[in-house]
Amino acid sequence: MSNIFERLLSIITTTNNRLKRIEDAVKNIQPGGGGGGNATIEDYTPGKFYPRNTLVVDPLTETVYRTLPREGYTSTTLANDIANERIKLVGYESQIINLDHNPTQEEINTLPSDATVLVYSPQDDPYTPALSSDNFNE
């Protein structure tokens, strides 16, 4: 009879340990749980102190950057912080970066070496995709 209770106690203990691991994992997912749910994103503000890994948005272009200095830093201007490598472009692999002007070589140099830069002008003819071979020009 005592063997049954020992097995039952072992099963309950194992189950409780598993539930505790699941609870800890869920706490790391939920906001305020001390783990992965504590990211914030805010508009970039000159003259503001930013801790490392703060996500900031250029309010003019809606482009997202991540702050880099381990000790944090006080922002100056977006262009200056980019040039001094205090912030880094986030998500360039799948993000379209909007500019209200033709990019300067300095702006292009802040992008990764494998990035593609395209310039669109509203005065350009609109793009018309070829939906069938009838639309191809010989």
Side-chain angles (χ1 to χ4, degrees):
M1 187 81 149
S2 69
N3 190 15
I4 293 174
F5 289 115
E6 287 174 9
R7 286 183 50 209
L8 184 58
L9 179 61
S10 175
I11 292 170
I12 291 171
T13 302
T14 301
T15 302
N16 283 343
N17 289 339
R18 285 181 183 158
L19 289 173
K20 177 66 175 146
R21 284 196 308 270
I22 292 169
E23 178 185 16
D24 291 344
V26 169
K27 281 182 183 176
N28 283 332
I29 295 171
Q30 293 175 342
N38 58 359
T40 60
I41 190 165
E42 58 188 82
D43 283 347
Y44 175 88
T45 305
K48 181 175 179 180
F49 179 81
Y50 289 109
R52 178 174 168 82
N53 290 333
T54 301
L55 296 177
V56 294
V57 179
D58 178 354
L60 297 176
T61 65
E62 298 299 324
T63 303
V64 179
Y65 298 89
R66 178 175 61 92
T67 60
L68 297 176
R70 291 199 182 281
E71 64 282 356
Y73 83 103
T74 300
S75 59
T76 54
T77 66
L78 192 65
N80 188 43
D81 290 348
I82 292 169
N84 290 306
E85 298 180 353
R86 293 185 190 121
I87 60 177
K88 179 180 179 181
L89 188 61
V90 173
Y92 58 83
E93 302 92 356
S94 61
Q95 181 180 19
I96 296 173
I97 300 168
N98 299 309
L99 298 173
D100 60 355
H101 60 279
N102 283 338
T104 65
Q105 187 61 48
E106 190 174 287
E107 289 173 317
I108 292 171
N109 290 344
T110 64
L111 299 172
S113 60
D114 59 350
T116 301
V117 177
L118 303 173
V119 177
Y120 169 77
S121 170
Q123 287 76 36
D124 289 344
D125 290 335
Y127 172 73
T128 306
L131 301 177
S132 72
S133 61
D134 296 338
N135 292 335
F136 293 141
N137 292 329
E138 300 293 340

